[in-house]
Amino acid sequence: MMNLTKHLLASVLALLALGAHAQESTIRKNLAERLPQLPKIDEVSKTPLPGIYEIRVNENDIYYTDAEGNYLIQGNIIDVRQRRNLTEERVEQLTAIDFKDLPLKDAFTVVRGNGKRKVAVFADPNCGYCKRFERDLAKIDNVTVHTFLYPILSPDSTEKSKNIWCAKDKNKSWQDWMFNDQIPAAVSCDTTALTRNLTLGRKHKITGTPTLIFADGSRVPGALTTQQIEKQLASVTR
């Protein structure tokens, strides 16, 4: 009897899997035919809403559709009972950065005190908020700071970033500019690290500077004050 029950359960699960695969195939086929400009679909998955499916494209862009691919919905799904933005949570999950996976070879690093606390910063040299943030960050001790040059504001940002990256002492060149407005000297070297930084940032939807990544993977956009930085570092190291 037990073997029969297990066999029936396995058969039901197989049928459900087959049905889910057929449903996904229908959605992919219909959307591709009806919206040829839609990027290649990376994943189709169910949502908590009956009959509504999540469509993921470009690695972390989210859309929704019905079971037949007749409609494409752009926007947020909000669980009003739990007061949760399910779309936002999903995008955060897809764009999360594991600190240990950061390509630190593409950043320059400064260690203050014992350096036990860690933070990575994506910054544009022409970002006024970044300059303000750097002054507050300089007051923090016992921290290791990895700075990823992220020139997104203007062509001049790219030029300054290249000169800072190619400087003999990257940290000094960065601080001379950020603290004293001393324009980085024109030098040249391999700057493909900057291209990789831009690719990394876009993949993880880093759209503004400064953006901070802490050791636990938490991301905080914007120019935190000294007190806010200390509070965030303390919460990570507990």
Side-chain angles (χ1 to χ4, degrees), residues 89-174:
E89 289 179 8
R90 176 67 167 143
V91 171
E92 286 178 358
Q93 177 191 40
L94 291 170
T95 59
I97 300 177
D98 192 329
F99 195 90
K100 66 178 173 51
D101 292 335
L102 284 170
L104 299 183
K105 70 180 188 308
D106 293 336
F108 54 88
T109 300
V110 61
V111 179
R112 300 193 183 103
N114 61 31
K116 286 185 178 179
R117 304 182 297 179
K118 294 176 171 57
V119 63
V121 182
F122 285 75
D124 184 303
N126 284 336
C127 162
Y129 291 109
C130 297
K131 287 192 171 188
R132 190 180 78 190
F133 168 74
E134 286 291 329
R135 289 179 171 83
D136 284 321
L137 182 62
K139 301 171 186 174
I140 304 292
D141 200 11
N142 298 325
V143 65
T144 297
V145 181
H146 305 286
T147 300
F148 289 83
L149 291 168
Y150 195 58
I152 58 174
L153 294 179
S154 69
D156 183 65
S157 294
T158 301
E159 193 63 29
K160 283 191 176 77
S161 294
K162 287 180 177 179
N163 291 334
I164 291 167
W165 181 253
C166 294
K168 185 176 181 180
D169 187 335
K170 297 178 177 63
N171 279 309
K172 184 178 185 304
S173 180
W174 173 252

Side-chain angles (χ1 to χ4, degrees), residues 27-28 30-31 34-35 41 44-45 47 49-55 63-74:
I27 290 172
R28 287 179 180 273
N30 287 348
L31 286 178
R34 296 165 182 172
L35 284 174
I41 295 173
V44 177
S45 56
T47 72
L49 278 71
I52 300 298
Y53 293 78
E54 175 194 291
I55 303 297
Y63 297 92
Y64 301 100
T65 189
D66 63 294
E68 298 298 320
N70 291 326
Y71 300 92
L72 189 69
I73 306 166
Q74 182 177 17

